[in-house]
């Protein structure tokens, strides 16, 4: 690639990430963001692991919500921690991590000779859109000297709204944050950022100083913009261009309106679910995820119990199949904790209004 084009891309990435960081703090971008967090947190606690590997380390564990993203388990397997290195923390009736259970799980892990090194809080869980209580979790991380990562891949966009940014109160206390503009911000796939307040840590953790790529005596531009050695990948798409162009077109005000409209649509859909016969909310939405059950008239008369639950579980599959084949609506479904299949409506399309619901 022409060196001028590379320079422009790096400058664009740097400046747009600085804009994102006005909502958080200084940082760098990348993909595989949650795995970056695991790697950075391990390096911060055990810097010798970069050279020596994990052979001489204690058994490391990460704590995350039972409704958190599966990428933590994939990252644990990839980094040699094993999927058993992910400890699930109980959630409340809205799907939020319970801080008292987090504390209990940390203490239990330590009593068994395990070494907690990171807590992954979630802002906007995949299914229910739950926001973990960040300040309470940050207090515990500070007490036990643990890295706090926030997976805000889905929920980070609420920071663009003055009305809804309170959902992420306490995010400034995190060591790192995942934010995916290709979700609610509507940037085409793929576009994600890993943001950390430890400005030199990624370079120390990931760089190999390959001089045939990252020469320090370049004359064309400031080599401090060479972020490639901080990343796990070598070649990367110029994903920042999509974010820059979209943000330029939307502006901060445009994005705020987009987020506020998504919340308003979710609120309206929730009202419709509550007042219609045969529909039941799984839990009150915090975000733009509306999860509900539909009880056909054939099972409404059944007493609560195994038979009704089993029939309701199959309803989600059958109704979705028929709607998909007909082409009327494509709706997701998912069991929620120990409950049966529920429908999941994510209401965030810019062209969607109350009339569609």
């Amino acid at each position: 690639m022409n060196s001028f084009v590379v320079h422009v891309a790096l400058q664009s990435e740097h400046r747009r990430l600085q804009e994102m960081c006005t909502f958080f703090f200084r940082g760098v971008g990348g993909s595989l963001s949650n795995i970056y967090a695991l790697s950075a947190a391990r390096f911060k606690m055990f810097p010798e692991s970069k050279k020596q590997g994990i052979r001489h380390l204690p058994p490391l564990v990460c704590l995350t919500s039972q409704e958190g993203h599966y990428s933590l388990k994939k990252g644990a397997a990839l980094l040699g921690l094993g999927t058993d290195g992910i400890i699930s923390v109980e959630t409340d009736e809205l799907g939020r991590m319970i801080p008292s259970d987090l504390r209990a799980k940390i203490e239990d892990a330590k009593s068994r000779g395990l070494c907690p090194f990171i807590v992954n809080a979630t802002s906007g869980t995949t299914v229910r859109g739950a926001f973990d209580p960040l300040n309470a979790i940050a207090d515990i991380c500070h007490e036990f000297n643990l890295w706090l990562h926030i997976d805000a891949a889905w929920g980070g966009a609420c920071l663009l709204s003055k009305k809804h940014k309170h959902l992420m109160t306490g995010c400034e206390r995190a060591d790192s944050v995942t934010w995916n503009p290709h979700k609610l911000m509507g940037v085409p796939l793929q576009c994600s950022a890993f943001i950390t307040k430890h400005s030199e840590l990624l370079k120390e953790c990931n760089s190999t100083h390959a001089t045939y790529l990252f020469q320090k005596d370049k004359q064309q531009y400031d080599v401090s913009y060479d972020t490639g050695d901080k990343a796990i990948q070598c070649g990367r798409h110029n994903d920042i261009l999509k974010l820059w162009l979209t943000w330029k077109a939307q502006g901060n005000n445009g994005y705020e309106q987009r987020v506020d409209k998504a919340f308003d649509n979710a609120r309206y859909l929730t009202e419709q679910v509550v007042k219609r016969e045969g529909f039941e909310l799984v839990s009150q939405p915090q975000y733009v995820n509306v999860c509900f059950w539909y009880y056909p008239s054939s099972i409404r008369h059944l007493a609560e119990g195994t038979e009704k639950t089993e029939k309701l579980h199959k309803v989600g599959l059958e109704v979705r199949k028929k709607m998909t084949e007909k082409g009327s609506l494509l709706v997701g479904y998912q069991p929620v904790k120990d409950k049966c299949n529920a429908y999941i409506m994510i209401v965030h399309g810019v062209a969607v209004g109350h009339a569609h619901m």
Side-chain angles (χ1 to χ4, degrees), residues 288-315:
V288 299
N289 307 42
V290 182
C291 301
F292 59 91
W293 291 291
Y294 170 64
Y295 295 83
S297 57
S298 60
I299 68 172
R300 291 177 199 168
H301 68 283
L302 296 176
E304 296 299 327
T306 303
E307 181 185 4
K308 187 173 185 178
T309 299
E310 288 178 351
K311 289 182 180 295
L312 181 61
H313 185 75
K314 294 176 182 178
V315 166

Short mmCIF file of all heavy atoms in Angstrom, two decimals, residues 288-315:
data_model
loop_
_atom_site.label_atom_id
_atom_site.label_comp_id
_atom_site.label_asym_id
_atom_site.label_seq_id
_atom_site.Cartn_x
_atom_site.Cartn_y
_atom_site.Cartn_z
N VAL A 288 -32.47 -1.51 24.24
CA VAL A 288 -33.39 -1.62 23.11
C VAL A 288 -33.71 -3.07 22.78
O VAL A 288 -34.27 -3.36 21.72
CB VAL A 288 -32.84 -0.87 21.87
CG1 VAL A 288 -32.68 0.61 22.19
CG2 VAL A 288 -31.52 -1.45 21.40
N ASN A 289 -33.34 -3.99 23.66
CA ASN A 289 -33.70 -5.39 23.53
C ASN A 289 -35.04 -5.62 24.23
O ASN A 289 -35.15 -5.37 25.43
CB ASN A 289 -32.66 -6.31 24.19
CG ASN A 289 -31.25 -6.05 23.73
OD1 ASN A 289 -30.83 -4.91 23.58
ND2 ASN A 289 -30.49 -7.11 23.52
N VAL A 290 -36.02 -6.10 23.52
CA VAL A 290 -37.32 -6.41 24.12
C VAL A 290 -37.53 -7.91 24.03
O VAL A 290 -37.66 -8.47 22.94
CB VAL A 290 -38.47 -5.66 23.41
CG1 VAL A 290 -39.80 -5.97 24.09
CG2 VAL A 290 -38.20 -4.16 23.39
N CYS A 291 -37.53 -8.59 25.18
CA CYS A 291 -37.65 -10.04 25.24
C CYS A 291 -39.02 -10.41 25.80
O CYS A 291 -39.42 -9.89 26.85
CB CYS A 291 -36.56 -10.64 26.12
SG CYS A 291 -34.88 -10.27 25.55
N PHE A 292 -39.71 -11.31 25.12
CA PHE A 292 -41.07 -11.65 25.56
C PHE A 292 -41.44 -13.06 25.12
O PHE A 292 -40.81 -13.66 24.24
CB PHE A 292 -42.08 -10.65 24.99
CG PHE A 292 -42.11 -10.58 23.48
CD1 PHE A 292 -42.97 -11.38 22.74
CD2 PHE A 292 -41.27 -9.72 22.79
CE1 PHE A 292 -43.00 -11.33 21.35
CE2 PHE A 292 -41.29 -9.65 21.40
CZ PHE A 292 -42.15 -10.46 20.69
N TRP A 293 -42.46 -13.59 25.79
CA TRP A 293 -43.06 -14.86 25.40
C TRP A 293 -44.42 -14.61 24.76
O TRP A 293 -45.11 -13.64 25.11
CB TRP A 293 -43.25 -15.77 26.61
CG TRP A 293 -42.00 -16.27 27.22
CD1 TRP A 293 -41.11 -17.17 26.71
CD2 TRP A 293 -41.48 -15.92 28.51
NE1 TRP A 293 -40.08 -17.39 27.58
CE2 TRP A 293 -40.28 -16.64 28.69
CE3 TRP A 293 -41.90 -15.06 29.53
CZ2 TRP A 293 -39.50 -16.54 29.84
CZ3 TRP A 293 -41.15 -14.95 30.68
CH2 TRP A 293 -39.95 -15.69 30.83
N TYR A 294 -44.80 -15.49 23.85
CA TYR A 294 -46.15 -15.49 23.30
C TYR A 294 -46.81 -16.82 23.63
O TYR A 294 -46.29 -17.89 23.28
CB TYR A 294 -46.15 -15.26 21.79
CG TYR A 294 -47.52 -15.49 21.18
CD1 TYR A 294 -48.60 -14.68 21.52
CD2 TYR A 294 -47.74 -16.55 20.30
CE1 TYR A 294 -49.86 -14.90 20.99
CE2 TYR A 294 -49.00 -16.78 19.77
CZ TYR A 294 -50.05 -15.96 20.12
OH TYR A 294 -51.30 -16.20 19.61
N TYR A 295 -47.96 -16.76 24.32
CA TYR A 295 -48.72 -17.95 24.69
C TYR A 295 -49.90 -18.10 23.73
O TYR A 295 -50.87 -17.32 23.82
CB TYR A 295 -49.26 -17.83 26.11
CG TYR A 295 -48.20 -17.79 27.19
CD1 TYR A 295 -47.57 -16.58 27.52
CD2 TYR A 295 -47.85 -18.93 27.90
CE1 TYR A 295 -46.61 -16.53 28.52
CE2 TYR A 295 -46.90 -18.89 28.91
CZ TYR A 295 -46.29 -17.69 29.21
OH TYR A 295 -45.34 -17.64 30.20
N PRO A 296 -49.89 -19.08 22.83
CA PRO A 296 -51.07 -19.32 21.99
C PRO A 296 -52.27 -19.69 22.84
O PRO A 296 -52.12 -20.17 23.97
CB PRO A 296 -50.63 -20.50 21.10
CG PRO A 296 -49.14 -20.53 21.19
CD PRO A 296 -48.79 -20.01 22.55
N SER A 297 -53.44 -19.45 22.32
CA SER A 297 -54.66 -19.73 23.09
C SER A 297 -54.74 -21.19 23.52
O SER A 297 -55.36 -21.51 24.54
CB SER A 297 -55.89 -19.36 22.26
OG SER A 297 -55.89 -20.06 21.01
N SER A 298 -54.09 -22.08 22.78
CA SER A 298 -54.16 -23.51 23.08
C SER A 298 -53.46 -23.90 24.37
O SER A 298 -53.71 -24.98 24.91
CB SER A 298 -53.57 -24.32 21.92
OG SER A 298 -52.21 -23.96 21.72
N ILE A 299 -52.58 -23.04 24.88
CA ILE A 299 -51.86 -23.40 26.11
C ILE A 299 -52.11 -22.42 27.25
O ILE A 299 -51.61 -22.61 28.35
CB ILE A 299 -50.34 -23.53 25.86
CG1 ILE A 299 -49.72 -22.17 25.54
CG2 ILE A 299 -50.03 -24.54 24.77
CD1 ILE A 299 -48.20 -22.21 25.49
N ARG A 300 -52.88 -21.37 27.00
CA ARG A 300 -53.09 -20.37 28.05
C ARG A 300 -53.85 -20.93 29.25
O ARG A 300 -53.68 -20.47 30.37
CB ARG A 300 -53.86 -19.16 27.48
CG ARG A 300 -53.04 -18.34 26.50
CD ARG A 300 -53.87 -17.20 25.91
NE ARG A 300 -53.26 -16.72 24.68
CZ ARG A 300 -53.83 -15.90 23.82
NH1 ARG A 300 -55.07 -15.45 24.07
NH2 ARG A 300 -53.22 -15.53 22.72
N HIS A 301 -54.68 -21.93 29.01
CA HIS A 301 -55.48 -22.49 30.09
C HIS A 301 -54.71 -23.47 30.96
O HIS A 301 -55.18 -23.85 32.03
CB HIS A 301 -56.70 -23.23 29.50
CG HIS A 301 -56.32 -24.47 28.73
ND1 HIS A 301 -55.78 -24.42 27.45
CD2 HIS A 301 -56.36 -25.79 29.07
CE1 HIS A 301 -55.54 -25.64 27.02
NE2 HIS A 301 -55.88 -26.49 27.98
N LEU A 302 -53.52 -23.88 30.50
CA LEU A 302 -52.75 -24.87 31.24
C LEU A 302 -52.19 -24.27 32.53
O LEU A 302 -51.80 -23.10 32.57
CB LEU A 302 -51.60 -25.41 30.38
CG LEU A 302 -51.99 -26.19 29.12
CD1 LEU A 302 -50.73 -26.57 28.34
CD2 LEU A 302 -52.80 -27.43 29.47
N ALA A 303 -52.14 -25.09 33.58
CA ALA A 303 -51.54 -24.65 34.83
C ALA A 303 -50.03 -24.52 34.66
O ALA A 303 -49.42 -25.19 33.81
CB ALA A 303 -51.86 -25.65 35.94
N GLU A 304 -49.44 -23.64 35.44
CA GLU A 304 -47.98 -23.48 35.38
C GLU A 304 -47.32 -24.79 35.76
O GLU A 304 -47.69 -25.44 36.75
CB GLU A 304 -47.53 -22.38 36.35
CG GLU A 304 -48.06 -20.99 36.01
CD GLU A 304 -47.60 -20.50 34.64
OE1 GLU A 304 -46.46 -20.86 34.24
OE2 GLU A 304 -48.35 -19.78 33.99
N GLY A 305 -46.36 -25.20 34.95
CA GLY A 305 -45.68 -26.45 35.22
C GLY A 305 -44.91 -26.94 34.01
O GLY A 305 -44.78 -26.21 33.00
N THR A 306 -44.43 -28.16 34.09
CA THR A 306 -43.56 -28.70 33.05
C THR A 306 -44.23 -28.76 31.69
O THR A 306 -43.64 -28.40 30.66
CB THR A 306 -43.08 -30.11 33.44
OG1 THR A 306 -42.41 -30.04 34.70
CG2 THR A 306 -42.12 -30.67 32.40
N GLU A 307 -45.50 -29.22 31.65
CA GLU A 307 -46.19 -29.36 30.37
C GLU A 307 -46.31 -28.02 29.65
O GLU A 307 -46.02 -27.91 28.45
CB GLU A 307 -47.58 -29.97 30.57
CG GLU A 307 -48.33 -30.16 29.27
CD GLU A 307 -49.77 -30.65 29.47
OE1 GLU A 307 -50.19 -30.76 30.64
OE2 GLU A 307 -50.45 -30.89 28.46
N LYS A 308 -46.72 -26.99 30.38
CA LYS A 308 -46.89 -25.68 29.77
C LYS A 308 -45.56 -25.11 29.32
O LYS A 308 -45.45 -24.53 28.23
CB LYS A 308 -47.55 -24.74 30.78
CG LYS A 308 -47.93 -23.38 30.19
CD LYS A 308 -48.72 -22.55 31.19
CE LYS A 308 -49.21 -21.25 30.58
NZ LYS A 308 -50.03 -20.47 31.53
N THR A 309 -44.51 -25.30 30.13
CA THR A 309 -43.19 -24.78 29.78
C THR A 309 -42.65 -25.45 28.53
O THR A 309 -42.08 -24.80 27.64
CB THR A 309 -42.21 -24.99 30.95
OG1 THR A 309 -42.68 -24.28 32.09
CG2 THR A 309 -40.82 -24.49 30.59
N GLU A 310 -42.83 -26.78 28.43
CA GLU A 310 -42.33 -27.52 27.26
C GLU A 310 -43.06 -27.09 26.00
O GLU A 310 -42.44 -26.94 24.94
CB GLU A 310 -42.50 -29.01 27.49
CG GLU A 310 -41.53 -29.58 28.53
CD GLU A 310 -41.75 -31.07 28.78
OE1 GLU A 310 -42.77 -31.61 28.28
OE2 GLU A 310 -40.90 -31.68 29.46
N LYS A 311 -44.37 -26.89 26.09
CA LYS A 311 -45.13 -26.45 24.92
C LYS A 311 -44.72 -25.03 24.52
O LYS A 311 -44.58 -24.72 23.34
CB LYS A 311 -46.62 -26.51 25.21
CG LYS A 311 -47.18 -27.94 25.29
CD LYS A 311 -48.67 -27.92 25.54
CE LYS A 311 -49.25 -29.33 25.62
NZ LYS A 311 -49.13 -30.04 24.32
N LEU A 312 -44.55 -24.16 25.52
CA LEU A 312 -44.15 -22.78 25.23
C LEU A 312 -42.77 -22.74 24.59
O LEU A 312 -42.52 -21.93 23.69
CB LEU A 312 -44.15 -21.96 26.53
CG LEU A 312 -43.77 -20.48 26.41
CD1 LEU A 312 -44.74 -19.75 25.49
CD2 LEU A 312 -43.74 -19.82 27.78
N HIS A 313 -41.87 -23.62 25.03
CA HIS A 313 -40.53 -23.67 24.47
C HIS A 313 -40.57 -23.98 22.97
O HIS A 313 -39.81 -23.40 22.18
CB HIS A 313 -39.72 -24.75 25.19
CG HIS A 313 -38.28 -24.80 24.79
ND1 HIS A 313 -37.34 -23.87 25.19
CD2 HIS A 313 -37.61 -25.67 23.97
CE1 HIS A 313 -36.16 -24.16 24.68
NE2 HIS A 313 -36.30 -25.25 23.94
N LYS A 314 -41.50 -24.85 22.57
CA LYS A 314 -41.61 -25.24 21.15
C LYS A 314 -42.31 -24.17 20.32
O LYS A 314 -42.12 -24.10 19.11
CB LYS A 314 -42.36 -26.57 21.04
CG LYS A 314 -41.61 -27.74 21.66
CD LYS A 314 -42.44 -29.02 21.60
CE LYS A 314 -41.69 -30.18 22.27
NZ LYS A 314 -42.51 -31.42 22.27
N VAL A 315 -43.13 -23.36 20.98
CA VAL A 315 -43.86 -22.30 20.25
C VAL A 315 -42.90 -21.36 19.55
O VAL A 315 -43.08 -20.99 18.39
CB VAL A 315 -44.78 -21.52 21.21
CG1 VAL A 315 -45.27 -20.22 20.56
CG2 VAL A 315 -45.96 -22.38 21.61
#
